[in-house]
Each structure stands twice: as structure tokens, then as C-alpha cells.
Amino acid sequence: MENAQEVFRAVLSAGLGDLAGVISVHEFGVFAAAYLRRQLHLPGNSDSRGVLFFRDKYLQKNRLPPDVRRARARYASRATPYAELAEELGKQFVVKPAIGAGALRTEVVRSAEEYHRALEPFPGESDVDVVAESFVDAPEIYMDGIWQGGDLHWRSLTRYHSSPLSAVHGRVLAAHLLDERLHPDLFEQAEDLTKRVLRTLEAPDCVFHLEAYVEQDGLTFGECAIRLPGALSPQLVQLTYGVDLFDAEISLALGLSVSLPPAVRPPERFHGYLLLRSPGHGNLTREDFARAFTFDKLTYSSSPDTSPGPYGRVGEAIVSDSDERRLSRTIAEIVRFNETGGK
């Protein structure tokens, strides 16, 4: 999907027909989608140059003004000495794909040996495919929303129970929507950060996903993408707020404005998701989960033939509660149940 030439060739070879728009629901397709819109004179964002500031972590962080706190970032390659990066970024830093999605191939390194191991998955054919960043050790939140007409049209705020990076290394990825009544200052800080970042980066009308770290003295920017959020976040948003981010993405790709349902604040119930995985010890079945907890949605495969998906997923769950604090505790209990094999 990242090869715009290949995608364009595929479209042309299939015959143009009656094209109404181009849409990608994946990070890797964002650049090609913008390129196709320009070439085929279709509505929606066609600024492929501008898209790169939402794909490349180095370009993105270095375009932001100095007063937006974020990790220090630079390109790295196998020719870049560990000692040079450690002096510039700190002895503990992060190595990641410059235009990656999620936390795949992302590693925290603390030594020259770990640094060289972290570079092994990369082909080494480009000077700009790897970014090294200073490490931020803090809980993560993310704001999903709709940016339209140069302003924040709608937003929600979600907290990770464990980071995507920890989920790559065996934890259960889980998150839940936050109640604005319980976190008014956090919502205000996240809104302010989002507006400053999207305006600086000259975001087009889009559905966006912005991640940040919650530190004691405020928010530290993580990264921002102009595409639908991943995992089950769109489902949580629709169940909690009645806002369909998939529909919003399609409307914007057709050159239409996004209309929203009447606001219901506070929502009647808050929702969270878990990407369930095979436990490290013992065995769990769908029935084990269903007996122990109440779910809005639950799928789980205990078959040894099941091939794990991203973040080790062999099942997924959605849970809800009218009390966000109680929902958070329930998710923590399910995470522990999953990771310990029901102990």
C-alpha cells in the first residue's frame, strides 16, 4: 500500500470506471490515497507532500514549534554509532520505523547490543527508514476526532491500560474512553495540544488520531496520524457517542462535510476494548472469559491452530459501564485474568 506507483498501476489496469473517491483505512495507504486523488482529480485531501508530515516521525516532530514538548528525534542507520545516539538522546532511547504503524518493530534500547538487535529487522536500504527518539516513560492517552475547516469539529479521549509497545512484548493491549467530568483538565490540555499540532502541520479535513504522554507537569506529544484510529477504537466511539468515524472518513473522501448526531453528554455508558491473547501459562477458552465477566462483545479462540494477529490477538472484547472508574477496574481485572491464565 505504501508504493503509490504500484497502487496507481493497479487502478489504471482495472479500468477507471465511475470513481467517486479514494479511501484508506490503514496508515500505510494514506500517502497513496492522496496521490491518487491528485492524479484522478477526485475530492478529499490530495496534498501528498503534506501527508508526509503525518507519516514520518522525524519530519513531524521537527516541524512543531519549540514550546510543544515532545521526544527528541533523528534518523538513524546501521552506520550510526550507539554512543552518538546515547549522548544525544540519553542512554535509554527508542528505535522505530520512521513511517511505521502501531508499535511493530519498535524497541527501547539500553545498550549497543540491544541497539544492533533493534536494527536487524530493517533492510538497511534507506537513510530515512529508522528514527531514534528519546524515551518518554509515562502513561499514554490518545485523542481521536474530526478536523474540519481548520478547527476541531469533534473529539474523544482514550487511555491505554498498557502501551502498544508493551503489548508487542506480551502484554494485553487494552484501552477505554475517558469521562470528561472526571478529567476536565486533561481534556482541556489534550484539546489545546491537538489544535496546536494540527494547525502547525496544516492538517486537511480529516479523521485524526493523536497520541500523548501524561507527565506530572503536563502532556508530552507522541505522534499524530490523519486516518482512522486502530484496534477497536472506532467501535468504542460509535457505541459511546453515536459518532461513526468510518462514515466521517467516507464523507471527507467524497468532499462532503461531516454531520454529527445530537450530542449526548455525558454518555450513558463508557466503553473499552481488549485484544485478548493466549496466556503465557495454562489455557483459556471463550467460556472461561464469559463465566468470569460480562461483555458487550466477546470473541476468543483457544485452538492451537489459531494464528495470532497484531499484538498477539486471538480474540477481542468490548466491555462497558456507566461509571468510567468502575470500567477501568474491570478492564484491569480482565487483563490480569488473560495474562495469568485465569489465576
Side-chain angles (χ1 to χ4, degrees), residues 56-288:
D56 186 294
K57 277 65 175 178
Y58 171 82
L59 293 177
Q60 183 171 96
K61 288 183 170 65
N62 283 277
R63 191 176 185 182
L64 297 175
D67 57 341
V68 173
R69 188 167 55 186
R70 73 278 197 183
R72 302 184 304 281
R74 57 162 289 180
Y75 293 123
S77 70
R78 292 175 185 174
T80 310
Y82 167 80
E84 179 181 316
L85 295 174
E87 181 177 357
E88 182 177 340
L89 304 175
K91 292 184 178 180
Q92 181 174 239
F93 58 87
V94 178
V95 172
K96 62 169 66 173
I99 54 175
L104 302 179
R105 294 192 294 168
T106 298
E107 298 287 346
V108 179
V109 301
R110 304 169 184 83
S111 67
E113 292 74 20
E114 290 183 352
Y115 171 61
H116 292 304
R117 282 199 300 270
L119 291 177
E120 287 177 1
F122 297 93
E125 298 171 351
S126 169
D127 293 331
V128 292
D129 63 348
V130 179
V131 162
E133 295 183 352
S134 55
F135 179 62
V136 181
D137 186 12
E140 290 184 56
I141 60 169
Y142 58 88
M143 180 159 277
D144 296 325
I146 301 166
W147 184 259
Q148 188 169 270
D151 205 356
L152 193 56
H153 188 56
W154 186 85
R155 86 290 185 270
S156 65
L157 195 60
T158 307
R159 172 173 287 152
Y160 282 119
H161 282 255
S162 54
S163 69
L165 180 57
S166 67
V168 168
H169 296 284
R171 297 297 308 278
V172 171
L173 183 63
H176 76 278
L177 286 162
L178 297 179
D179 185 345
E180 189 170 358
R181 295 169 299 177
L182 302 178
H183 313 280
D185 293 341
L186 186 59
F187 270 77
E188 184 177 351
Q189 291 178 52
E191 279 194 20
D192 178 67
L193 177 63
T194 297
K195 290 178 180 179
R196 295 178 68 199
V197 167
L198 291 181
R199 284 174 181 154
T200 300
L201 299 179
E202 299 178 1
D205 290 355
C206 63
V207 174
F208 70 86
H209 173 77
L210 182 144
E211 299 182 351
Y213 299 94
V214 183
E215 300 194 273
Q216 190 169 5
D217 53 350
L219 294 181
T220 294
F221 172 74
E223 57 188 57
C224 183
I226 50 173
R227 44 85 176 165
L228 285 159
L232 304 183
S233 290
Q235 290 90 324
L236 301 191
V237 165
Q238 185 161 24
L239 289 167
T240 303
Y241 296 103
V243 173
D244 188 338
L245 294 179
F246 286 102
D247 185 69
E249 183 89 341
I250 293 169
S251 294
L252 293 172
L254 295 174
L256 306 174
S257 61
V258 177
S259 58
L260 299 173
V264 178
R265 290 189 178 179
E268 294 182 3
R269 295 182 73 81
F270 295 88
H271 293 76
Y273 74 79
L274 304 96
L275 302 187
L276 304 173
R277 61 193 308 150
S278 297
H281 303 284
N283 187 45
L284 288 173
T285 66
R286 184 187 184 282
E287 290 69 29
D288 292 329

